[in-house]
Every structure is written in structure tokens, then in C-alpha cells.
Amino acid sequence: MVHMVGKTKVPLIIEWSLVRNRPECSWNAHGGTVLWMDIRSMDGNCFLFSQGRDGTIKVWSCSCGLWTPQVEVPSASMLFCNSSLAVTMDKFTLAAPSEQQATVDLHHICSSEKSRPLSVSYHHFLRPDSETEYGMCMKMQFCPAEVEEGVSKCPLRLLVGYESGQIVLWDADQAVQLSLLQVFEEPVMCLTVWCATVNSRRVARGCCGSTSTELKSFCVGVDTITTDKSVSVTNAGFSDVCCREDAKIFATGGWDNAGRVFSAKTLRPLVVLTYHQKGIGAVTFSQNNNLALGCRGGYITIWDVYKNTG
């Protein structure tokens, strides 16, 4: 969130209580806009990851209500592409957009000695053969662990959406490009992937949007991506998409200031959520299945939608 101090915009991370609907704490985390955040646990400790336009990804730990930085990882400062995080038995694997075009850097973040609980090591990079053909990295997400039938034994799969409108499935462990799908003529603006049960089997599906009015879903195999369904909305432009943990519905944020909810199975539109006066830039679900929409005007709305049905 961006907070005004005098005439200066200060990018803040704010921790909110959803019980009291009040901020618990806030701090100036980056020298530029905060693009992405994720919160994960390892060895009984909770860590917050934040990515800023200042070219850094910071890992924070909380003690006595105070968040303090543990380590920093470099990332691209001129892009709007998010990072993505995967958790194995003993480490985090962080995929971060690189300053080099079409390139993703992979880092391992592990537990270390007590005086410095985390350490970072550069792993390798993922780069297509033709950087100019793909353009900039726009969105990325690790595939859910269920696709690989276990976190610790099978290779990580990473989906990356590019400026060219293509999505690439990568073997993140071996730095091998497995499959490519041309989904749009325009850049991929939002991307998500989830696991669902189909005919008693766990399968991975995903959805992405662009600058057009169309949303497209796809299926993810061990080493392939294939097209699935598509649906069109009234107004063009998507900023974010997020699937609920139970994989029954997903929500999008649009340039037309509206949030939309769809069936994850059929892509059938379920409801349009209108309140904000500016475009929706962030969409997420809470652990109790509330839907949060954050707009570029600095407001967040919490919605109770299809919590008991889906």
C-alpha cells in the first residue's frame, strides 16, 4: 500500500487484523512500490516475502509483533513481474524476475545458524533460446506440489507468462523448457494454477488473462500445457487472478474497477463485484475463504461470496 506523507508517497506494508478490521502494524519496507508478497512457514517459523520496485526481495521474520528483515535477494527493478515461492522439506525455492530480458533467477533460501536463521544461495536461471521472441517476463507461478506426487522427490514445475502472450512450463530443477502455449497475442497480465480432483484424480489447471476481454484456462501435465476453455467479459483488461484453496471458484481483478467470480471447473461467470472507483490490482482469498480486492486507489474490500457453496 502507498501512504502519503506530506507530498511524498511512501510504500508501506500494513498488517491488518481481520477480526478488528484495524491495522496491527506498518513499516516502510522498500524504496519503491511493493509488487508482491507471500507468507510461508518453515521449521516452525513464519516468514514474510516482499518484492519491491527497488530491485530487492526481502525476507522478514516476526518477533514480539515486530517484523525484521533477515535476508535480501536481487530482482528486476524495471518490471512489474511478480516472484513465486515453493517450499520443500528443508528450503524455500524463490523464482525472481531478472534484469535480463525473458530470464528468471532461482534462489535457494535455507535455515542457517541461530544468529542468522536464513541463508541465500543462487541456484541457476531459466532463459528461453530467443529472448527477443518472448519479451519480458510478465507473470509466474510454481505449479502445486500435488502434480509431482510429493514435494521432496519430484522436480519443481514453474509456469511463466511472457510479453509475447506465451506461457512456458519449466523444469525448475534442471532449467529445461518442457512445453509452450501461445494463449494471447497480447502480454500475459495475470496467471494462476491450482489442483482439482477430476474423476478421482488430482490434476493441475490454470487460468490467465491479458489486455483483452478474454480469460483462458489450460491443463498442466507433468511436462505439457494444453488449452482448455475460454470465456469473455464485457470490459477489457485483467490485472490479477486467484483461485480459492478448495479449487471451486476463482476471482479476477479488472481494469474496469470490478472484481469477477467464476466457476473454476466450467469458467461460468458467477457474479460481478462493483465498489471500487479505480482498477483492481490485487486479488486473494483468506484462510476462511473471504475474498479481498485491492484497488489502485489504496482501498481494500473484503467480500463474503460463495463460502458455503462454490
Side-chain angles (χ1 to χ4, degrees):
M1 179 176 288
V2 176
H3 180 65
M4 296 294 294
V5 178
K7 294 184 179 180
T8 304
K9 291 184 177 181
V10 180
L12 298 177
I13 293 179
I14 302 176
E15 179 184 345
W16 288 84
S17 167
L18 296 182
V19 177
R20 300 189 302 115
N21 290 328
R22 293 289 187 273
E24 297 285 349
C25 62
S26 64
W27 67 98
N28 185 3
H30 291 274
T33 304
V34 179
L35 296 174
W36 167 82
M37 292 192 300
D38 199 351
I39 191 164
R40 299 293 182 96
S41 296
M42 186 170 64
D43 297 332
N45 298 312
C46 185
F47 297 100
L48 173 68
F49 293 73
S50 65
Q51 174 190 353
R53 285 295 300 277
D54 56 358
T56 63
I57 299 169
K58 296 183 179 181
V59 187
W60 309 78
S61 65
C62 187
S63 177
C64 301
L66 179 65
W67 290 93
T68 55
Q70 298 296 315
V71 293
E72 290 189 10
V73 179
S75 67
S77 60
M78 301 302 292
L79 304 182
F80 288 95
C81 181
N82 64 295
S83 298
S84 189
L85 195 63
V87 184
T88 60
M89 296 297 292
D90 58 350
K91 65 179 179 293
F92 298 112
T93 299
L94 176 67
S98 171
E99 292 284 8
Q100 187 161 347
Q101 185 168 267
T103 303
V104 176
D105 290 326
L106 292 176
H107 305 268
H108 286 163
I109 303 176
C110 309
S111 294
S112 185
E113 64 273 11
K114 292 182 179 179
S115 61
R116 188 175 178 85
L118 294 179
S119 62
V120 180
S121 61
Y122 179 75
H123 189 38
H124 54 233
F125 62 84
L126 310 177
R127 184 185 302 150
D129 293 334
S130 174
E131 303 165 32
T132 56
E133 178 184 339
Y134 289 79
M136 297 182 295
C137 297
M138 300 297 292
K139 291 292 176 181
M140 68 178 77
Q141 185 175 334
F142 279 106
C143 292
E146 288 86 347
V147 181
E148 271 65 62
E149 299 177 355
V151 178
S152 61
K153 295 182 179 180
C154 296
L156 290 173
R157 298 292 190 255
L158 179 70
L159 283 170
V160 182
Y162 294 91
E163 187 181 10
S164 60
Q166 296 168 309
I167 294 176
V168 171
L169 178 66
W170 291 91
D171 181 332
D173 286 324
Q174 302 299 322
V176 175
Q177 180 176 323
L178 299 174
S179 183
L180 180 148
L181 187 63
Q182 182 77 51
V183 285
F184 298 109
E185 296 300 321
E186 308 85 13
V188 177
M189 300 301 294
C190 60
L191 170 71
T192 192
V193 61
W194 63 87
C195 268
T197 301
V198 179
N199 298 326
S200 301
R201 292 176 57 247
R202 295 290 284 173
V203 298
R205 298 185 66 200
C207 180
C208 58
S210 183
T211 60
S212 68
T213 61
E214 198 171 21
L215 279 173
K216 294 187 178 181
S217 66
F218 50 87
C219 298
V220 184
V222 175
D223 56 6
T224 59
I225 324 171
T226 54
T227 57
D228 189 22
K229 300 178 175 67
S230 65
V231 63
S232 293
V233 300
T234 304
N235 301 312
F238 295 94
S239 297
D240 199 12
V241 57
C242 182
C243 187
R244 202 168 69 182
E245 188 174 359
D246 61 8
K248 291 184 177 181
I249 61 174
F250 68 86
T252 64
W255 296 0
D256 61 353
N257 314 339
R260 290 178 169 82
V261 180
F262 300 83
S263 164
K265 182 178 180 180
T266 65
L267 259 65
R268 181 170 64 91
L270 301 176
V271 66
V272 179
L273 306 174
T274 56
Y275 175 85
H276 292 287
Q277 301 303 308
K278 292 189 177 181
I280 307 297
V283 179
T284 192
F285 286 94
S286 66
Q287 291 181 335
N288 67 347
N289 288 339
N290 281 330
L291 171 63
L293 303 177
C295 85
R296 302 189 186 281
Y299 291 93
I300 299 171
T301 52
I302 308 296
W303 301 79
D304 181 345
V305 290
Y306 299 105
K307 288 176 66 174
N308 299 316
T309 55

